[in-house]
Amino acid sequence: MSTGIKKSPSNGSEKILSFEEQQAKINEVKRLIGTLPDKLSIYCSDGSISRHLRARNWNVKKATKMLKDTLKWRAEYKPEEIHWEEVAREAETGKIYRSNYFDKHGRPVLVMRPSCQNSKSTKGQIRYLVYCMENAILNLPPDQEQMVWMIDFQGFNLSHISVKLTRETAHVLQDHYPERLGLAILYNPPKFFEPFFTMVKPFLEPKTYNKVKFVYSDDVNAKKIMEDLFDIDKLEAAFGGNDTSGFDINKYAERMKEDDKKMPAIWKRGNPALAASEPAPTSAALTLDSIKLDSDSDASDNGKTDSSSSHGIEPEVVSDHDELVAAGTRNATEDVH
């Protein structure tokens, strides 16, 4: 029995499939994708294919198209080759960083502070966002495949709003990192942010939107919400925790440089974490030109799926529903992505 097939909880119209049905769809996607160069082949683990299928409600045709688009993007953008020195300037103010603690489900936490924006380059900001995503994935524990976003709105004002950046952010996260977001907490967003969020809602897929939670520190339930998710002694004071150490760019740079050293080994087929789940190529590696992006994968599979904007942007957030504590840990032992 292959690992990496996630049994996600039902959310409305989402299909619920047996293990055998899930595996059959994963195998069909593999057949349609065909043989790939090593790095892209490593990316196409059962867990990765499963995430693309879940993002498209197990519709093989749509999931295959999504995966092929991501494979082409990864071949051209080379996210795993971004190094700290390239993005260090973007990171100086602590506008996005991976915290040194996990939530109670073992998910890494990415902290985002829009008021600390220090760049006008959308290209540079997206490059740094991708670096942060790859780093968070690198640090996923063996039994987890998702992360938590914590967005701190302290000092946020209208000048920090960028529809263009939001659209591009949503495009990258939803189209190239499907099912990586477990929960997004918007902490103390100002009142004027709500109309903006309503405006960008069309950029968000329903599954993304439903992972967004607005939390206000003056709400009597806020402390309970954070205590349910985090160890309060490790949680930063900005989010109601007891840790007052704050962001230190020098210490963070050292952490990232050490992580950069680990990245090349993750993308080698001999990596023990991948060997058990990744089949070796059976013929000469193919180039991306050989991947037919318009292939008809599964014409009979018409399951309902999320509506995906072609280039939507948006940091996935969590709506004001009472269900906050996201479903527990998932088994993603073989996944790099």
Side-chain angles (χ1 to χ4, degrees):
M1 180 177 289
S2 172
T3 58
I5 311 244
K6 316 304 179 300
K7 295 181 180 177
S8 56
S10 172
N11 75 2
S13 61
E14 184 175 355
K15 286 184 179 179
I16 302 177
L17 304 180
S18 68
F19 175 86
E20 291 74 16
E21 290 172 325
Q22 292 180 37
Q23 189 63 59
K25 286 181 178 290
I26 288 171
N27 291 339
E28 177 65 6
V29 172
K30 286 181 177 179
R31 184 187 69 79
L32 292 165
I33 291 294
T35 307
L36 296 167
D38 265 3
K39 280 188 180 180
L40 298 183
S41 177
I42 289 171
Y43 177 84
C44 288
S45 65
D46 280 11
S48 178
I49 295 172
S50 174
R51 281 190 296 276
H52 286 77
L53 281 162
R54 297 201 313 269
R56 293 295 175 260
N57 205 19
W58 297 96
N59 183 304
V60 169
K61 181 176 181 179
K62 293 176 180 178
T64 302
K65 173 64 165 61
M66 184 188 198
L67 180 55
K68 286 180 176 181
D69 287 346
T70 290
L71 291 173
K72 183 176 181 180
W73 174 78
R74 292 192 71 89
E76 296 172 350
Y77 201 81
K78 302 184 185 304
E80 75 281 359
E81 295 181 12
I82 304 174
H83 295 111
W84 172 254
E85 289 75 12
E86 180 184 344
V87 296
R89 172 71 181 82
E90 293 282 346
E92 287 177 352
T93 60
K95 63 185 179 184
I96 308 178
Y97 60 91
R98 180 176 60 81
S99 70
N100 57 7
Y101 56 89
F102 294 76
D103 80 344
K104 289 184 177 180
H105 295 298
R107 297 175 295 193
V109 178
L110 282 182
V111 174
M112 185 175 186
R113 292 195 163 93
S115 65
C116 294
Q117 182 57 263
N118 62 339
S119 169
K120 293 183 179 180
S121 167
T122 299
K123 181 179 178 180
Q125 292 174 61
I126 294 299
R127 192 82 173 160
Y128 180 50
L129 171 70
V130 169
Y131 175 83
C132 291
M133 291 296 294
E134 294 288 315
N135 179 266
I137 292 167
L138 174 70
N139 285 278
L140 284 168
D143 59 349
Q144 189 52 262
E145 65 174 354
Q146 293 186 322
M147 62 191 72
V148 174
W149 276 52
M150 300 270 282
I151 305 174
D152 178 11
F153 281 87
Q154 176 68 34
F156 184 84
N157 58 50
L158 289 170
S159 69
H160 299 123
I161 291 179
S162 169
V163 175
K164 179 181 179 182
L165 179 60
T166 300
R167 185 187 303 115
E168 189 58 30
T169 299
H171 165 55
V172 170
L173 296 182
Q174 294 183 150
D175 293 354
H176 300 317
Y177 294 96
E179 294 299 305
R180 281 303 190 184
L181 181 74
L183 174 70
I185 293 178
L186 276 62
Y187 199 80
N188 286 334
K191 290 297 181 184
F192 66 78
F193 179 78
E194 295 179 12
F196 171 73
F197 186 66
T198 300
M199 180 175 67
V200 301
K201 183 180 175 181
F203 299 151
L204 309 181
E205 296 179 4
K207 291 180 79 171
T208 294
Y209 178 79
N210 289 329
K211 293 176 182 178
V212 175
K213 178 72 180 177
F214 286 79
V215 176
Y216 298 91
S217 58
D218 59 358
D219 187 310
V220 293
N221 295 317
K223 185 175 182 181
K224 175 67 164 56
I225 288 172
M226 303 310 278
E227 286 178 344
D228 285 346
L229 282 167
F230 302 101
D231 180 338
I232 293 300
D233 288 334
K234 296 179 180 179
L235 183 66
E236 296 164 64
F239 298 110
N242 297 330
D243 183 359
T244 59
S245 58
F247 176 76
D248 184 320
I249 183 60
N250 294 319
K251 291 181 180 178
Y252 190 67
E254 291 306 310
R255 284 173 59 199
M256 296 301 101
K257 289 176 184 177
E258 288 302 309
D259 282 351
D260 284 356
K261 295 176 184 177
K262 304 173 189 175
M263 188 65 79
I266 294 296
W267 292 100
K268 290 181 180 177
R269 183 163 295 281
N271 181 0
L274 299 169
S277 61
E278 302 301 336
T282 55
S283 60
L286 306 182
T287 67
L288 269 213
D289 292 339
S290 65
I291 300 177
K292 298 179 181 178
L293 296 180
D294 59 348
S295 67
D296 247 347
S297 324
D298 190 4
S300 64
D301 194 346
N302 295 317
K304 183 177 179 182
T305 184
D306 307 324
S307 55
S308 170
S309 54
S310 60
H311 285 283
I313 157 196
E314 142 270 358
E316 313 189 48
V317 214
V318 171
S319 74
D320 227 345
H321 301 106
D322 290 337
E323 282 199 30
L324 168 64
V325 184
T329 56
R330 296 165 168 85
N331 19 349
T333 53
E334 101 283 15
D335 293 338
V336 173
H337 287 273

